[in-house]
């Protein structure tokens, strides 16, 4: 087992999509980068199909996926309520359905080509702090034969891309205090699988029943009330179906895995599993504090996830780009100034969007199934707002749509009474995040206090 160099510019913990993108970007900028993951590299990050908008690849400076990494592009989207009743459709959704295994492999290869070193089977056992700033990490490294060794490596910048566990975040007290691990209602239990279609006629009958076609995206909203969903895409030619499920990680909700198993058991045209995975996803707004000297958070470790439907891949890729841009030109990439620049850039742009939609997420979680159905039936959650949420953007109403929504509100005053205040709060949160001061610890601390008050329930 080869000994690693003992000193690096950057140590990235986590080699999934966000971590591999950060290693790639920082190495391309001329930094010496070591990225490690506790799992083998081919098992790092999400191992399923994820849907995300094309613009997020472009913003992250990552080439758009091509087949076979890209499984579908811009499919027709059919929206159903918990009873399977059609509640709207988009002729062409903004989504790309991406095989995350292949995307992560591409990002890891590009990181290595840029000069980064990636090591799988490497876990962080301890972090050494000097005056509160991380200076080195003790790694336990297991090779393919099962042999284990320990090595300490130093770095000027540590990047926590380890997912919700926050392997580094939880070991640095100055950040752990302000970024507690999410739990309960702030977590989604999700599962996704690609399975064989063993009865094409049965699958075709299912599509007819829900008013969809082969390769359409089919979304059930509020299956168990509030934050619970089932997203399908059937490809009759390939004889495969993609199934994504998720629900709030509370005892009263079934897990994503159980929802998926129950759906497969009901639909006899679905056969064996091809690939997939499951896991817990943070769905709260991003932490107000994303960095302290020596340490930056990206991806799920920073709760950089779109709260309305739990997709965090795109935001993590964008954060990796922003971090590399923020530290460019600084001799010490872990100094306070470049990391404050990263935090401000993210919050003013992407963080403002995510924090605003967190307000809607909390409203959705409070709604029982019948109220979700009433919301969908009211017309207040229309195709424009659905398309904006799928595209991870704020909907911008024009005059005609504003009049249409006002009429829908008049027809459904009880629903409007719940939705109206939430929309006003979304705008207040968005505006507050856009005002991140960007520099000065006193000003930043004041902003964080204000942001928590504005976003609070």
């Amino acid at each position: 087992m080869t000994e690693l160099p003992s000193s690096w510019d950057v140590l990235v913990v986590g080699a999934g999509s966000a971590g591999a993108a950060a290693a790639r970007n920082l190495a391309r900028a001329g930094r010496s980068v070591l990225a490690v993951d506790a799992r083998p590299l081919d098992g790092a990050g999400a191992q399923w199909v994820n849907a995300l908008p094309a613009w997020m690849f472009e913003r992250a400076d990552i080439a758009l996926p091509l087949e076979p990494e890209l499984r579908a592009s811009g499919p027709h989207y059919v929206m159903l309520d918990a009873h399977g009743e059609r509640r709207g459709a988009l002729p062409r959704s903004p989504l790309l359905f991406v095989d995350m295994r292949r995307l992560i492999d591409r990002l890891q290869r590009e990181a290595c080509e840029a000069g980064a070193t990636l090591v799988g089977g490497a876990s962080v056992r301890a972090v050494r702090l000097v005056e509160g700033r991380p200076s080195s990490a003790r790694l336990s490294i297991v090779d393919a034969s099962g042999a284990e060794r320990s090595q300490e490596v130093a770095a000027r910048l540590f990047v926590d891309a380890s997912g919700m566990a926050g392997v580094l975040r939880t070991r640095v007290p100055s950040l752990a205090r302000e970024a507690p691990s999410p739990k309960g209602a702030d977590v989604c239990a999700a599962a996704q699988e690609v399975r064989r279609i063993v009865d094409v006629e049965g699958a075709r009958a299912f599509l007819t029943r829900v008013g969809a076609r082969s390769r359409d995206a089919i979304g059930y909203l509020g299956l168990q009330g509030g934050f619970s969903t089932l997203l399908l895409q059937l490809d009759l030619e390939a004889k495969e179906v993609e199934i994504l499920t998720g629900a709030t990680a509370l005892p009263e909700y079934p897990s994503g895995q159980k929802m998926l198993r129950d759906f497969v058991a009901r639909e006899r045209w679905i056969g064996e599993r091809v690939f997939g995975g499951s896991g817990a996803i943070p769905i709260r707004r991003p932490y107000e504090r994303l960095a302290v000297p020596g340490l930056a958070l990206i991806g799920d470790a920073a709760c950089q996830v779109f709260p309305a439907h739990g997709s965090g891949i795109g935001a993590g890729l964008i954060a990796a780009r922003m971090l590399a841009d923020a530290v460019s030109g600084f001799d010490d990439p872990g100094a306070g100034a470049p990391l404050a620049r990263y935090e401000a850039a993210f919050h003013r742009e992407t963080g403002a969007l995510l924090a605003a939609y967190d307000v809607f997420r909390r409203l959705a979680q409070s709604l029982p199934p019948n109220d979700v159905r009433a919301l969908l039936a009211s017309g207040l959650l229309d195709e424009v707002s659905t398309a904006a949420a799928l595209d991870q953007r704020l909907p911008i109403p024009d005059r005609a749509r504003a009049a249409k929504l006002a009429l829908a509100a008049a027809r459904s005053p009880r629903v409007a009474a719940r939705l109206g205040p939430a929309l006003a709060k979304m705008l207040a949160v968005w505006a507050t995040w856009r005002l991140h001061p960007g520099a000065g610890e006193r000003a930043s601390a004041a902003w964080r206090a204000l942001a928590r008050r504005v976003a609070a329930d």
Side-chain angles (χ1 to χ4, degrees):
M1 189 182 294
T2 306
E3 187 86 0
L4 295 168
S6 61
S7 183
W8 303 79
D9 291 331
V10 184
L11 172 61
V12 180
V13 177
S17 55
R24 160 194 183 267
N25 298 339
L26 289 160
R28 285 181 173 180
R31 308 287 184 176
S32 62
V33 180
L34 171 64
V36 300
D37 200 289
R39 293 160 293 187
L41 291 177
D42 61 3
Q47 297 293 295
W48 55 46
V49 175
N50 204 292
L52 61 156
W55 74 264
M56 300 189 100
F57 282 96
E58 296 161 3
R59 177 64 183 87
D61 194 27
I62 295 171
L64 290 171
L66 303 173
E67 293 183 357
E69 181 183 315
L70 177 65
R71 293 179 61 91
S73 174
H76 184 82
Y77 179 79
V78 177
M79 183 168 59
L80 308 172
D81 65 20
H83 299 277
E85 187 173 342
R86 191 182 179 105
R87 292 299 181 185
L90 303 176
R92 182 175 176 81
S93 79
L95 298 176
L96 305 179
F97 284 72
V98 181
D99 185 336
M100 292 304 302
R101 304 169 305 166
R102 296 180 184 274
L103 172 61
I104 292 169
D105 177 69
R106 170 160 66 107
L107 293 172
Q108 289 177 348
R109 284 188 283 104
E110 290 180 356
C112 292
E113 289 165 2
T117 298
L118 275 64
V119 179
S123 303
V124 175
R125 296 304 186 198
V127 176
R128 183 170 179 261
L129 306 178
V130 175
E131 296 181 349
R133 174 175 171 169
S135 63
S136 65
R138 174 64 60 179
L139 303 178
S140 173
I141 305 171
V142 180
D143 67 13
S145 69
E148 182 177 2
R149 68 178 173 84
S150 179
Q151 182 177 349
E152 186 154 345
V153 295
R156 295 189 292 171
L157 171 61
F158 292 74
V159 179
D160 192 340
S162 65
M164 200 169 72
V167 168
L168 297 177
R169 185 191 73 229
T170 56
R171 287 178 161 92
V172 178
S174 58
L175 195 50
R177 286 191 296 270
E178 298 197 58
S181 296
K183 57 185 177 181
D186 289 337
V187 178
C188 171
Q192 200 277 342
E193 290 182 353
V194 175
R195 285 181 169 257
R196 303 285 185 203
I197 294 176
V198 294
D199 177 2
V200 173
E201 290 309 310
R204 186 173 282 114
F206 171 83
L207 289 172
T208 300
R209 188 166 77 244
V210 301
R213 304 162 300 182
S214 178
R215 304 202 76 179
D216 284 356
I218 305 164
Y220 288 83
L221 303 182
L223 279 177
Q224 307 294 329
F227 193 96
S228 57
T229 189
L230 169 67
L231 179 65
L232 304 169
Q233 187 178 49
L234 287 69
D235 187 331
L236 299 185
E237 183 177 347
K239 295 185 179 180
E240 287 186 343
V241 55
E242 298 171 8
I243 311 168
L244 171 67
T245 55
T248 305
L250 290 172
E252 57 264 36
Y253 292 93
S255 68
Q257 283 184 305
K258 185 177 188 308
M259 290 173 65
L260 195 152
R261 288 195 305 267
D262 289 348
F263 181 77
V264 170
R266 288 196 305 271
E267 304 295 337
R268 300 299 180 88
W269 48 271
I270 301 176
E272 70 274 15
R273 179 179 184 269
V274 180
F275 69 89
S278 62
I281 300 170
I283 51 174
R284 54 153 284 161
R285 67 183 183 273
Y287 296 124
E288 286 79 22
R289 187 153 205 173
L290 299 176
V292 293
L295 173 60
L297 310 179
I298 62 171
D300 284 10
C303 295
Q304 291 168 333
V305 175
F306 191 75
H309 49 60
S311 177
I313 301 301
L317 297 178
I318 290 171
R321 176 75 267 157
M322 289 181 170
L323 177 60
D325 290 345
V327 304
S328 177
F330 286 85
D331 290 337
D332 180 2
L339 295 186
R341 179 190 289 184
Y342 157 65
E343 179 178 286
F346 184 85
H347 278 322
R348 290 171 181 169
E349 183 181 325
T350 308
L353 174 81
L354 304 185
Y357 269 100
D358 187 50
V359 176
F360 182 81
R361 183 269 302 184
R362 285 178 280 160
L363 169 66
Q365 285 180 319
S366 72
L367 300 178
N370 286 341
D371 282 4
V372 175
R373 193 179 189 199
L375 174 60
L376 295 173
S378 71
L380 290 168
L381 190 64
D382 60 2
E383 287 85 351
V384 174
S385 56
T386 300
L390 294 175
D391 202 27
Q392 300 189 39
R393 299 183 189 272
L394 283 175
I396 307 299
D398 56 22
R399 185 174 299 176
R401 181 167 177 261
K404 180 181 176 183
L405 292 176
L407 183 60
R411 289 196 304 261
S412 305
R414 188 175 68 86
V415 175
R418 296 290 304 274
L419 188 60
L423 294 177
K425 186 166 184 172
M426 285 178 70
L427 290 175
V429 168
W430 179 82
T432 301
W433 258 252
R434 297 277 292 175
L435 292 174
H436 191 291
E441 178 53 32
R442 181 174 295 180
S444 295
W447 175 85
R448 291 194 294 271
L450 172 64
R452 290 170 188 141
R453 285 198 303 272
V454 173
D457 289 325

